[in-house]
Amino acid sequence: MTRRVVETGAVSPDREKLLVITVYEEGVNKQSVRRQNIYSKRHGVLVRCGEQYDFKD
């Protein structure tokens, strides 16, 4: 199974730039992730390889 990954930019109360990374559970489809994160520019996938995950952009 794969897991969806979304990268979103944010600004802290101290005006520092932040990178927010959200990892979704296995089985969530791409359309539902895009509906939830319409302003996100980067979407990726974690693919399971045995006990570990590989990141695919």
Side-chain angles (χ1 to χ4, degrees):
M1 291 296 278
T2 60
R3 298 179 82 166
R4 301 285 171 186
V5 179
V6 177
E7 295 180 12
T8 308
V11 178
S12 73
D14 297 331
R15 297 180 189 241
E16 295 177 309
K17 290 184 179 180
L18 303 174
L19 178 63
V20 179
I21 299 174
T22 307
V23 179
Y24 288 89
E25 64 272 3
E26 292 183 355
V28 176
N29 62 11
K30 184 168 139 181
Q31 290 81 14
S32 65
V33 170
R34 286 193 185 261
R35 268 189 252 122
Q36 293 176 10
N37 297 297
I38 58 173
Y39 298 113
S40 178
K41 297 293 183 189
R42 293 187 44 121
H43 293 259
V45 177
L46 292 174
V47 180
R48 182 178 284 245
C49 290
E51 294 290 320
Q52 300 176 349
Y53 286 96
D54 286 335
F55 181 75
K56 304 287 182 182
D57 200 19

